[in-house]
Structure formats: structure tokens, C-alpha cells
Amino acid sequence: MTKARSNLQIDSTRLWGDIHDTAKFGATPKGGVRRLTLGAEDRQVRDWFRNACEKAGCEVRIDALGTMFALRPGRDMSKPPIGIGSHLDTQPTGGKYDGVLGTLAALEVVRALNDAGIETELPVCVCNWTNEEGSRFAPAMMASAAYAGEYTTEDILGRKDADGVTVAEALDTIGYRGADAVGQQRFSAFVELHIEQGPLLEAEHKTIGVVDRGQGIIWYNGTVAGFAAHAGTTPMPLRRDALAALAEVVLAVEKLARDHGPHAVGTVGEVRIDNASRNVIPGDIAFTAEFRSPDSATLDALHDGLQRAAAEIAARRKVAVAIEKIWRKEPTVFDKALVDAVETAAREMGYSHRRITSGAGHDACNLASVVPAAMIFVPCKDGVSHNELEDATQADCTAGANVLLHTVLALAGVASKTSG
Ligand code: GLV
Ligand code: MN
Ligand code: MN
């Protein structure tokens, strides 16, 4: 890897302004952002992003799943670009930084190169990946998974949200079903900047997380079928209460994760009681669950443990519990040379840093299976994310963007410099 060549920095005020300007698309009263993928607010931020990328001299292309690719030419256009970026969709009660920082910092890298009059050897491509969050359509990170060949484009286009709207219909509604085939935009490497979304960097007073691994993930859709009956007249021993059974499933998920600690986590995030009523014993429930671990064998053990626990709870309580695995993402090991390049950039910029495993899923984790990939983390306040309170400092966001800039300079190479 070539050394970072200068003390070139991104424009911190411009980046901070963009993060807060775009937060108006889907702003919530509590200071967060609700920008579900492919909804009206997503269209607004996409239009903003396309316009900003074009103003920065990029050609913007869109693929069949709506992922946006903004290309800054390099001297050698025979080579695929260095891809940088993240996502602009958010959780239903999301924050201002998850995904946004990495996407807007990537745009800021291009502007900083423009301002400094730097032509890179390789082109640079700023990306906004569709549906990273996975809260409207499952699975999460579906566009980058399709890019990596894990799903066909047709499969993903047919996925439905809770109202039965398909990805294809949602893309057409906002005008973002592009002409390019998924996978057409190749990369020489991909680097994603993101807030940590966990507590380690803040606790250790480190500015930069050099991400070398990502956790594996399993997602489930589950149902519990009991028997709906009168809450006042049905004696306790005769009940087949679906919610009481689900409560045991929730505790089993928690216990399994604790027992496989310290790095395993398990969550039941969504529960829907059909025809819920205060004086009816719940009869039918739908729920979601997930496990995560950096270790594949641990994921297997968690999966087997959940199936066993569910069967035992169902038999004892005379209810039916079905837990269907709908997605499994293997743990990620990021590219060693690229991870080293991120670390070198952090060190040469004088930022404190440490190696770190990503607890969250990211598009870079999918891309890592088809192209050398790496990630840069910066701290977020109290480690809180997927919450409107999500917060990060301007200094840390700037540091992350500077490390991204210098990683890009090292990977793309400098062809010529006319000013700056
Ligand atoms: C994506 O945000 C995830 O669930 O990790
Ligand atoms: Mn994210
Ligand atoms: Mn997220």
C-alpha cells in the first residue's frame, strides 16, 4: 500500500451541514429520522443525493434494485473504481448517523479531492445501497446481498412489506428502478465508514475503529398458535395462551444468547397479537427473532437450542410454535491488506484507534465476499443506535471521513495534483 501522501482533510463544516440538512427528510419530533427504504422520504433524500453527486462532477447510475452509484473518473478508466459509501434509509425510529455518515462522508471525499485538484489513478464510486436496514423489507442489506450473488434480482424485487407492497412496486413508485443490472458496477475495493453503534470506542477513548470482522446473523419469522378464549371464564389450567408461551420463547432466546456469551446476542424485536383484546386470551401471534455471533458454530448452537426450546415449550403448553429461519449471514472477515490500509491511514492522521468486530450488519459485509472490503468506525454517544437519540460528535465524524479520504488516496493512487 502507498502511504497517505498529505495532510489533506475533508471539509468538516460541509460534512456536518449535509448530515443535518438531510436529516430533515423524515425528521421525527424527538430529533431522529424515520426514512423507511423506498418510501416518500427516501425519494427526497435520494433526489438530494443525486443532485449533490452530479454537482460534484459525478455521473450517477442506478441499478435494478435502486442502488445509486456516483462515479468520479480516474486517470485509468480500465480499472474498476474504489467503492465507498453506505445507506440513506433508516429504522422506523432511527437516528441521523446510521448509514448517513458513511454515504455523505463518501460524497465529501469526492468534493475534497475536487477542491484539492487531485486526479486519482483509479476512479472512485460513491454508493447508496438500497434497504440496508431491513425494517420494511427483509432481509437487511438485500441490495448488496443480491450484488454479491446471494439472491437473484427477481427474488428481491418480489419481496413484500407488511402491507403487501413489493420491492418492485416501491421502486417504481419513487422512480428509482434503474436500468443497470445488479452487479454491473464492479469495484477494485470497497470501504464503508459507519458509527460503531456499540460502546467500545467511547469507553476506551478511541477515535477510530479499524473493523476487521463482522458478526454472523440469523433471522427468524415465528408464529405461536394457542386458543383464543374468554379471559374471565377460562380456568388457568385449561388455557392455551399464545402470549404466555411466547414469553417463554423470548426468555429462551435471551438465555441462549447469555449462555453462549460474551459475544452472542439474541433479540425478539417484533410481536403481533392477532385480534388482540383486553378480555381475550391471545390465540395467534406472529413474531420475529434474531441471533448474532462472530462465530459460525455458535450460530449453529443457538439455532439448534432455539428449536429445542420451542418444541419443549409448545408440548408443555399445548400450543404450536413454528420458527422459520428466513436469513443467515455468515460472519465476515474483512480483507487483511485493506484493513491494514485503514489502520495506516488512522495512524498517519494521528488518530487513536483499535481493531474492532462489527456487531451490526453492513453492506460492506456482503461486498466482502466478492471484493476486498473494509470498514472504519467512529464512536457514537453511549453506544446507542437504532434509536432517535443516536448521536456522534462533529470531530469524530470528521476523523472518520479523513481516514476514509486517506484510505481512498492510498488505494486509488494519485495521478496528478493541480492545486490545493
Ligand atoms: C442493520 O442495521 C443491522 O440489523 O445490523
Ligand atoms: Mn447502518
Ligand atoms: Mn442500522
Side-chain angles (χ1 to χ4, degrees):
M1 294 292 155
T2 42
K3 285 175 59 114
R5 280 174 179 74
S6 66
N7 57 6
L8 184 70
Q9 305 235 352
I10 61 102
D11 184 329
S12 174
T13 307
R14 190 166 52 192
L15 173 62
W16 199 242
D18 284 351
I19 290 171
H20 289 87
D21 280 357
T22 55
K24 69 179 179 236
F25 303 122
T28 64
K30 287 189 188 158
V33 179
R34 178 189 176 88
R35 201 158 59 215
L36 298 186
T37 194
L38 307 182
E41 296 80 14
D42 192 21
R43 184 217 304 242
Q44 289 177 314
V45 78
R46 282 166 177 266
D47 289 350
W48 181 98
F49 178 68
R50 172 162 37 195
N51 185 36
C53 289
E54 284 172 353
K55 268 204 193 134
C58 296
E59 184 200 352
V60 179
R61 303 187 67 94
I62 298 164
D63 79 8
L65 292 177
T67 298
M68 304 173 73
F69 302 100
L71 191 72
R72 180 183 196 263
R75 194 195 60 78
D76 183 355
M77 292 302 284
S78 71
K79 301 222 174 68
I82 304 300
I84 50 177
S86 189
H87 60 99
L88 292 172
D89 65 318
T90 77
Q91 290 287 328
T93 50
K96 296 192 195 75
Y97 302 89
D98 175 358
V100 176
L101 170 62
T103 315
L104 299 186
L107 166 63
E108 180 53 37
V109 164
V110 163
R111 290 163 165 172
L113 293 173
N114 291 348
D115 292 350
I118 290 176
E119 181 185 34
T120 51
E121 199 51 39
L122 267 56
V124 175
C125 182
V126 177
C127 309
N128 169 32
W129 295 93
T130 295
N131 187 31
E132 193 274 352
E133 293 292 5
S135 44
R136 179 174 177 194
F137 300 101
M141 307 173 277
M142 66 184 194
S144 55
Y147 179 96
E150 279 179 47
Y151 302 97
T152 64
T153 302
E154 287 314 307
D155 178 356
I156 295 299
L157 285 172
R159 300 287 173 123
K160 291 185 178 152
D161 69 7
D163 298 324
V165 177
T166 64
V167 168
E169 288 162 350
L171 280 166
D172 288 340
T173 301
I174 67 162
Y176 272 90
R177 193 183 330 194
D180 286 4
V182 172
Q184 179 176 317
Q185 176 62 65
R186 308 310 298 173
F187 299 110
S188 294
F190 186 82
V191 187
E192 179 170 357
L193 167 66
H194 208 283
I195 54 167
E196 179 198 345
Q197 307 183 275
L200 297 180
L201 295 176
E202 187 179 60
E204 295 182 14
H205 305 290
K206 296 280 196 286
T207 303
I208 297 294
V210 179
V211 188
D212 53 6
R213 284 173 180 271
Q215 294 202 107
I217 307 172
I218 305 183
W219 273 13
Y220 301 96
N221 281 345
T223 55
V224 184
F227 190 77
H230 198 297
T233 61
T234 314
M236 297 310 285
L238 297 186
R239 293 178 180 220
R240 293 164 55 210
D241 183 331
L243 185 57
L246 178 63
E248 287 202 44
V249 172
V250 174
L251 293 178
V253 167
E254 185 184 55
K255 178 164 173 16
L256 280 161
R258 283 181 192 270
D259 290 351
H260 288 82
H263 299 304
V265 289
T267 307
V268 172
E270 291 176 62
V271 175
R272 196 191 66 235
I273 304 174
D274 286 349
N275 304 309
S277 170
R278 185 189 296 266
N279 50 0
V280 177
I281 298 162
D284 285 291
I285 296 186
F287 67 100
T288 65
E290 63 153 67
F291 285 124
R292 303 191 190 205
S293 164
D295 174 56
S296 193
T298 302
L299 286 180
D300 291 339
L302 290 164
H303 174 79
D304 293 346
L306 179 58
Q307 298 301 332
R308 271 198 303 276
E312 189 278 320
I313 294 162
R316 181 163 40 76
R317 289 186 165 270
K318 299 189 176 51
V319 299
V321 181
I323 303 182
E324 184 199 357
K325 180 172 71 184
I326 58 157
W327 179 47
R328 176 168 171 141
K329 166 90 189 108
E330 287 304 317
T332 304
V333 179
F334 286 111
D335 183 82
K336 188 182 173 325
L338 237 66
V339 173
D340 287 348
V342 168
E343 196 163 56
T344 301
R347 191 177 53 247
E348 292 187 353
M349 298 291 298
Y351 297 127
S352 59
H353 55 90
R354 59 160 279 173
R355 296 272 172 137
I356 193 165
T357 297
S358 174
H362 297 288
D363 295 305
C365 300
N366 283 333
L367 293 163
S369 61
V370 288
V371 67
M375 291 193 73
I376 303 160
F377 276 179
V378 292
C380 58
K381 189 169 184 307
D382 302 327
V384 170
S385 184
H386 287 189
N387 188 306
E388 292 155 287
L389 296 177
E390 183 183 271
D391 202 5
T393 67
Q394 181 174 354
D396 287 340
C397 292
T398 302
N402 280 330
V403 172
L404 181 66
L405 170 64
H406 282 272
T407 305
V408 166
L409 283 170
L411 298 174
V414 175
S416 65
K417 187 168 180 203
T418 54
S419 63

